[in-house]
Amino acid sequence: MNNFASLILREGKTDTPVPSNVYYRQFLPSQHRPYDMVVSAFSLFELPSSHSRLETLLNLWNKTQEYLIVIEQGTAPGYKLVVEARDFILSLKDKDGNATGYVFAPCSHDKECPSVSINETCNFVVSYFDLELGQREGVKKEIYSYVVLKKGVRSSYDYQWPRIVKPVLKKSKHAICRMCTKEGKHQEIIFTASKHGKIPYKCARSSDWGDLLPINITNVDSTDGAT
C-alpha cells in the first residue's frame, strides 16, 4: 500500500523522487509535534478493542492543532466507530473543565447524533473513476461516514446551517430535503417557490446529499419553517 501511495505521489513515474515532507511510518510519531490536520481513514476497524481505539484517538487528538478527521465505511459498524470517536473527543475537557473541541462537520451541533436514537446510519456518497486494471473504466460510488473535529471553541459567527443527510427528492414544483439541524434533530422541509421564494427553492433543488443548506429554520417542529 505504501508503494502504491508513493507511486501516486510521483504521478506513476518510478524515477521521480517523492515530494518533500512526505513520510511513511508504521507507528505514530513519538515526538509531540502538532499538525494542522490529522486524518484517520478506514483505520479504526483494524484496532482490536474499544480501549485501543480510544487510546489511539487521544494520541491523534493530542497531535492535532486544528482539525482531526475520522473516516470509516458508511455501514452500520463503520458509522458506530465514527460516533464513538465523535463522542469521545467531545467528552474531553481541559484543566478548567471546558471542552477541547467541537464538531466542524458534518454536524452543525455537538449534541448526540439524531441518527443514533432512530437506529439509522449517517453516511454520505462519493463518486470516483475506477482505475483501468484489466477492466473497463467507469464511475463508481462509495458510501462513507465521517466526522471533522476542530480544536477550540465554536465561533459565534458560525451560522450552523443544516446539513442535508439524505438524497434530495426533486418533484414537480417542489423539492424535499431531509436535514440535520443545529438543534441536533432531523428536519424534513418541502421547498416550493410559492411558499419559500424562488431563491431558497432553487438552492434546495440544486443541492446534493451532504451539502450545507444556507437557511435558518425558524420552527423545528414544522415541516416548512425555513427562511
Side-chain angles (χ1 to χ4, degrees):
M1 185 63 73
N2 285 344
N3 292 336
F4 186 50
S6 175
L7 192 61
I8 291 176
L9 289 172
R10 291 179 290 170
E11 299 181 347
K13 302 173 183 177
T14 57
D15 57 344
T16 301
V18 175
S20 60
N21 298 322
V22 175
Y23 307 97
Y24 294 94
R25 293 187 176 94
Q26 184 178 0
F27 304 103
L28 291 172
S30 58
Q31 69 271 23
H32 184 69
R33 175 186 174 184
Y35 298 87
D36 289 341
M37 182 180 295
V38 176
V39 181
S40 170
F42 307 102
S43 301
L44 296 179
F45 264 124
E46 300 177 6
L47 300 178
S49 65
S50 176
H51 176 76
S52 61
R53 289 195 298 270
L54 298 184
E55 188 176 54
T56 300
L57 285 166
L58 181 59
N59 197 342
L60 294 175
W61 187 241
N62 288 336
K63 296 182 184 302
T64 300
Q65 184 164 291
E66 290 288 338
Y67 301 94
L68 171 62
I69 303 173
V70 178
I71 309 169
E72 290 294 338
Q73 295 177 352
T75 59
Y79 164 65
K80 288 180 180 179
L81 292 183
V82 172
V83 171
E84 180 184 59
R86 178 187 187 275
D87 292 346
F88 173 68
I89 297 299
L90 291 179
S91 71
L92 299 177
K93 307 295 181 183
D94 61 18
K95 61 181 180 180
D96 297 321
N98 300 315
T100 59
Y102 63 95
V103 180
F104 182 80
C107 326
S108 56
H109 61 87
D110 299 331
K111 301 177 177 65
E112 181 185 48
C113 177
S115 294
V116 172
S117 60
I118 57 177
N119 200 29
E120 286 190 355
T121 299
C122 180
N123 53 26
F124 304 91
V125 64
V126 62
S127 300
Y128 64 96
F129 286 100
D130 196 15
L131 296 175
E132 295 184 72
L133 299 175
Q135 55 185 340
R136 294 181 61 185
E137 179 182 355
V139 178
K140 292 192 175 182
K141 296 181 182 295
E142 184 75 24
I143 300 294
Y144 66 97
S145 294
Y146 80 102
V147 65
V148 181
L149 298 143
K150 187 175 182 181
K151 281 282 182 78
V153 180
R154 189 185 300 274
S155 170
S156 59
Y157 297 102
D158 187 348
Y159 291 108
Q160 293 182 270
W161 287 331
R163 176 86 58 180
I164 299 175
V165 294
K166 294 293 181 183
V168 178
L169 301 179
K170 302 172 184 179
K171 305 294 183 179
S172 176
K173 297 184 179 180
H174 69 277
I176 304 173
C177 295
R178 190 179 189 190
M179 299 164 289
C180 181
T181 70
K182 64 182 179 181
E183 286 79 15
K185 297 181 179 180
H186 283 161
Q187 176 73 8
E188 190 172 275
I189 296 180
I190 303 174
F191 286 91
T192 64
S194 60
K195 179 170 289 187
H196 301 96
K198 290 184 178 180
I199 294 178
Y201 169 65
K202 288 183 178 180
C203 182
R205 195 172 183 87
S206 62
S207 296
D208 293 320
W209 181 11
D211 288 347
L212 286 174
L213 196 59
I215 64 170
N216 291 316
I217 299 177
T218 56
N219 183 0
V220 297
D221 295 324
S222 170
T223 58
D224 57 1
T227 58

